[in-house]
Every structure is written in structure tokens, then in C-alpha cells.
Amino acid sequence: MDDEQPTLADVARAAGVSVATASRALTGSRPVSGDRVRRVQEASRALGYHPNAVASALRLQRTETVGLVLPRYTTGFLSALIESVSEGLEQHRISLVLRYSEADAQHDVDNVGSLIGRRVDGIIICPPSLEASRESIAAAGAVPVVQVGRFVETDRTDSVGLDEDRATDLLVAHLAERRVRSILVVGLDQEVAADSRRIRALALAASAAGLEIAVAPFTAAVLEGGIRAGEWLVAEGGAGDAPGGLPVDAIVCANDDVASGVLAVLRMHGVAVPARVQIASLLDLAPGAEDHSVTTLRHPWPAMGREAVRLLLDAREPGHDRIARRVTLAPQLVPGASTLP
């Protein structure tokens, strides 16, 4: 039995092209006509050819691997991000190494250190919190980093995030069209930079639409936090009037879980939703769902993943300008039963 592995020269011979053309067709390093790419790929599959990743890494001084670091507690709604990053890298024959982070800074740093130890060519990171991720991004050193979702202010890493102004404009316009006069914000912490930015964006959009806005005392952005916020609202008379006499026409929550908690408490106390109070969410936690009980904003995670891959591939090229680039993408408003038709 012949145990010799097919070589690139064998693939080129079978496809009727030069070895250089076969290499370019398989790696995508330079443009090759569609017909030649098809012939090379067919020959590669027929022969069972597999590129020598070790030899390629030694030649190019690259491992053709990229690390993706995600906070563990968001893996459900970030599955679309993982899929799009993986697909984008596969098109360039780059492997993905996935790491999940806990909320503490040291675990984030350890993840980055582990990836650097594997000699990854770059890292895509979704910060679990701005505070926890500053040290981990600094620990990456010269390895290109792209932040996705939230981002730590820095002058050397690219980022892909949500267009907060567009997001809040969409949500506030939706509520204003449904005769809302005032908004209560729930589940956002004014002491946290990312939340503070969202609150400011909501305030600007509300002001432009002629609506009043208030922020409820902070409760965690989870289901239990939404329940506590709903109980506070009822206890303070928020079913009729919020503290200070501000009428509550609408409640804007940090995410779907918070909105579900508030919704459950209000309905338990006989508050009609959406007839009496309308509820909306800033973050869709179930992007695959077709029917929504809560009006929400669907973040463009697949597009974010594609942009993150594009930025990272650019950043790892020799001579790349390391001035940070910011890409912001608009969400989609998904109406649900918690706001008026």
C-alpha cells in the first residue's frame, strides 16, 4: 500500500496549473480565476490533500490561528458571533481557538496569556466588563486585538460595536409613535461607562422626541434584577406614577431578561401591558426566536463577527497602521407584544 501523502505538486498536476497557482488558490493569498480555484479545490479533495500547517507556519511566521475570548454568561446570544467569526476565518484557512472568561480580570488575563502561548496571530475579544478587560488587552502586547460588543478605550486596538445612537433612536421613535410621554430606564448602572453611554443616548433621543426620561435605582441586568425593579416600581406607586410624580408610560430595560422580570411583576399586580405601561428591551437575548413577547433590539452579531475578522486580518499585515479603528453597526427593531401595535 502506498502511504505517501499527496503533495501540492500532485494537486497542481491534477488541476493542470502551476504549483504557485495551486498554492494561491488554496490559501487565497492572491486572486485566482474562479475556474482555476474550482479545479484546484476539486483536485485537492479527490487526492485527499491536506496542507502542512507546520511548514506553512514556519515559512510565513504565522500559525494561522486566531483566539476568540467571550464572557461565559453570554454564550447563548453570542452563538451567532461565534459562527460568523468561525466562517470568516475558515474562508482564509485560519483556525479558531475559543476561550470563555469569568467576570474577574485575572481569568481574562490568563485566557489571553494562554492564547499568546499558542502563538495565535490575533485575538478577538468581547470584554465581559470594561474593568476586567483593560489588563487582558494590555497583556496581548504586540498581538493584534479586535474588541467586539463593548470596548475598552485604547489607541491601538480596533473595535466593532453597536451604533448606540441609532439603537436608541429606533427604540424611542417606536415608543413615541405609540403615544408614550415618558420613559423609565431599568437595569442600567450610571456608574458603569458602557451603561452611562446608553443612558446618555436614550436621554438625547428622548429629548429630541419631546419625552421625559428617568433612571430607576440600579438592579442587576438579569431576570432577578428585573423582578426586583418591578417590585420597586409597584412599591413606589410606579404602576400609576413614578417617584417625583413622573408618569410611567414606558419602561426601557437593559435586556430581554430584565424586561421579562418587570413584565411578570407588573402583570401579577394587575398592571395592563401594553395598554397601561409599554415595555421594551435594549438587547435581544434570543436572536433566533420568531415570536417575541417583548419589543427588543436585535444586535447585528453576524455582521459584527464578519467585521471583526476583516479588521483583524488587516491588522496582522506587516506595516499596518496601528491607529484604532471604530466600526459601529445598527441594530434591528423587533416589535413584540409588550408595546402597542
Side-chain angles (χ1 to χ4, degrees):
M1 178 182 294
D2 186 3
D3 291 330
E4 290 187 7
Q5 295 295 316
T7 66
L8 184 60
D10 296 328
V11 173
R13 189 178 307 109
V17 299
S18 68
V19 172
T21 297
S23 176
R24 289 194 293 268
L26 291 173
T27 62
S29 59
R30 292 184 184 179
V32 177
S33 68
D35 179 64
R36 288 182 176 180
V37 170
R38 178 185 57 77
R39 282 159 38 204
V40 170
Q41 290 177 342
E42 289 178 352
S44 176
R45 286 192 293 268
L47 293 171
Y49 170 74
H50 298 285
N52 187 327
V54 174
S56 177
L58 290 172
R59 184 175 69 255
L60 300 175
Q61 293 298 296
R62 291 178 180 169
T63 60
E64 301 300 330
T65 58
V66 163
L68 175 61
V69 182
L70 301 175
R72 185 178 298 279
Y73 56 83
T74 54
T75 55
F77 74 88
L78 287 183
S79 59
L81 174 66
I82 298 172
E83 184 176 341
S84 62
V85 168
S86 178
E87 289 178 351
L89 293 174
E90 284 177 1
Q91 292 176 6
H92 296 273
R93 294 183 174 271
I94 297 173
S95 299
L96 178 65
V97 181
L98 186 61
R99 292 285 186 272
Y100 289 122
S101 281
E102 305 299 339
D104 64 281
Q106 187 56 50
H107 196 268
D108 223 26
V109 171
D110 290 345
N111 271 321
V112 171
S114 169
L115 292 170
I116 291 175
R118 294 177 64 96
R119 299 294 188 267
V120 295
D121 300 326
I123 299 173
I124 297 172
I125 184 169
C126 181
S129 71
L130 302 188
E131 293 73 19
S133 293
R134 283 193 175 91
E135 293 181 19
S136 61
I137 290 171
V143 176
V145 173
V146 175
Q147 301 177 71
V148 62
R150 288 176 288 197
F151 66 90
V152 176
E153 293 285 357
T154 170
D155 61 357
R156 58 171 291 273
T157 64
D158 299 330
S159 68
V160 183
L162 186 72
D163 186 335
E164 298 284 0
D165 293 334
R166 178 60 177 156
T168 51
D169 285 348
L170 280 171
L171 202 57
V172 169
H174 176 82
L175 294 172
E177 290 169 359
R178 284 150 183 81
R179 301 183 298 281
V180 164
R181 296 168 298 165
S182 61
I183 294 171
L184 183 68
V185 181
V186 171
L188 296 182
D189 187 351
Q190 299 184 76
E191 301 301 317
V192 174
D195 285 358
S196 179
R197 281 197 297 268
R198 292 186 180 94
I199 292 170
R200 287 198 301 271
L202 280 167
L204 287 172
S207 176
L211 309 182
E212 295 182 76
I213 188 168
V215 181
F218 175 66
T219 54
V222 296
L223 180 63
E224 183 182 350
I227 292 172
R228 291 202 304 271
E231 291 171 343
W232 169 84
L233 190 58
V234 170
E236 293 291 332
D241 294 285
L246 177 68
V248 176
D249 296 316
I251 302 169
V252 172
C253 301
N255 58 45
D256 289 2
D257 281 351
V258 176
S260 295
V262 172
L263 178 63
V265 171
L266 293 185
R267 285 182 170 166
M268 183 175 65
H269 286 272
V271 180
V273 179
R276 174 62 187 85
V277 178
Q278 301 185 61
I279 298 177
S281 162
L282 290 166
L283 174 59
D284 178 15
L285 294 180
E290 295 183 1
D291 297 322
H292 279 74
S293 60
V294 174
T295 293
T296 189
L297 289 174
R298 179 166 295 166
H299 292 203
W301 293 111
M304 287 184 181
R306 291 189 291 270
E307 279 298 301
V309 170
R310 181 184 68 81
L311 291 173
L312 192 64
L313 294 180
D314 286 348
R316 70 176 195 160
E317 292 300 319
H320 172 70
D321 187 347
R322 297 307 298 270
I323 295 176
R325 295 170 291 178
R326 301 276 179 260
V327 177
T328 58
L329 303 175
Q332 174 191 0
L333 180 72
V334 183
S338 64
T339 58
L340 294 170

